[in-house]
Structures are given as structure tokens and as C-alpha cells.
Amino acid sequence: MALNTTPGDPAADSYPTLVEAKAYWDSIGRDYSGIADDELEQALRRGTAWLDGTYGARFIGKASTFDQALEWPRQDAVYRGKTLPSNAIPQKVKNAASEAAWREATEPNSLSPDYVPAEGVKQEQVGPLSVTYKDGAGGVADVLPVVTAVDGLLRGLVASKASLNFATAARG
């Protein structure tokens, strides 16, 4: 099934087209020659879904239409002092989705691994060797990857996590 990359479409499932993703991968030296196009398209769907799930609540502006499937296009989104078009996807978002898709193409489901807290191991011993692992909160956030390449590509298009913790109040 072909990708639907129409901005604002209720059935859209990827930000970049396969041609756009390949152009991005070519520009940074990724070799996708051994991966079938249908596998790359599936990875683009998963990468786009991960991108929206991870960054969607932090994207600048607001969704352009109520029924659009993806978080972009956005309205009232200002980047570098300019209002972005409310009917287009920024190239940086397409590149970030391509970057996420690359990880999914080379290691499927690596961006969204299943995690069962009860199966977590804090310390284990095999014979005389004992290993204690990094102490975390014991939640899903402890196993989710941080993809710094995607963070860098989206800089300026997402609000910081800290800004989501504060609300504004008005006095009447």
C-alpha cells in the first residue's frame, strides 16, 4: 500500500515520501540498497507514528484541522520569526521522520520497545561476578531511546519539556 503523505489528510500516514526519505538518506550516506521499498515504507509509517507520539504534544502551533491524521501541518507555528504555512510540512519534520524511519528499517520496533516492569533486572550475579544496573524510576521512560539526531532536527519546532509543566493564570 502506497504511503499517504498529503498534508492535513485524514488518512495520511507519513511525512516524507519514499523519494524524499531516500534523498535524505543519500545526503547523509545511508545505504538502503538491501532493504525493499515496501519495508522502507512500513518503516516510514512507524517512524512518523513514533515522531508524532513522542513530540506531538510539544510541536509549536496547533493542528491545522480537526480531522488531520498527523500532527503536521500546523497553524500559528512561528519558526525563526516567520509564520509557517498552515498547509505544508517543514523539511526538518520530514527529515526527522526519515531519521526515525531509518532506525525502524534497520531494527524494527527499536523506537517503541515493549517493556514489562516486572521483568526488569536491577542486579544479577553469575558465579563470582555481580552486576548492578543503572537505577531508574522503573518505568517505560527508562527503556525508551533518546534519538539526538531527531532532537537536533526538530530544534525550534518543539517546545521544551519544561515549558509543558507550567500553565498561565489570569487575575480577574
Side-chain angles (χ1 to χ4, degrees):
M1 178 169 65
L3 293 173
N4 181 339
T5 60
T6 305
D9 192 295
D13 56 7
S14 177
Y15 289 123
T17 65
L18 183 56
V19 169
E20 290 170 324
K22 285 181 174 182
Y24 173 76
W25 295 328
D26 285 341
S27 74
I28 60 171
R30 298 275 167 80
D31 179 14
Y32 50 84
S33 62
I35 306 172
D37 283 355
D38 65 325
E39 291 177 49
L40 293 172
E41 287 182 350
Q42 292 167 5
L44 283 165
R45 287 183 187 95
R46 291 192 308 272
T48 296
W50 175 82
L51 193 74
D52 274 0
T54 302
Y55 297 92
R58 295 174 34 214
F59 282 136
I60 59 174
K62 57 188 174 202
S64 291
T65 65
F66 173 77
D67 63 347
Q68 69 188 52
L70 303 176
E71 292 296 326
W72 287 89
R74 311 287 281 180
Q75 60 181 339
D76 303 326
V78 178
Y79 177 69
R80 293 184 177 168
K82 303 287 183 192
T83 301
L84 298 175
S86 62
N87 61 350
I89 312 299
Q91 189 62 47
K92 290 174 69 141
V93 171
K94 291 180 181 187
N95 291 350
S98 298
E99 192 67 47
W102 178 255
R103 282 148 176 80
E104 283 295 306
T106 56
E107 190 176 339
N109 302 312
S110 61
L111 292 175
S112 299
D114 288 338
Y115 175 65
V116 179
E119 293 176 359
V121 177
K122 182 172 180 158
Q123 181 177 3
E124 60 186 336
Q125 184 166 344
V126 178
L129 299 174
S130 176
V131 177
T132 302
Y133 299 98
K134 178 183 174 290
D135 196 17
V140 173
D142 292 336
V143 297
L144 292 179
V146 175
V147 185
T148 56
V150 172
D151 284 349
L153 286 165
L154 293 178
R155 186 161 288 118
L157 297 175
V158 293
S160 69
K161 289 180 182 179
S163 68
L164 295 177
N165 295 328
F166 297 97
T168 58
R171 291 174 58 162

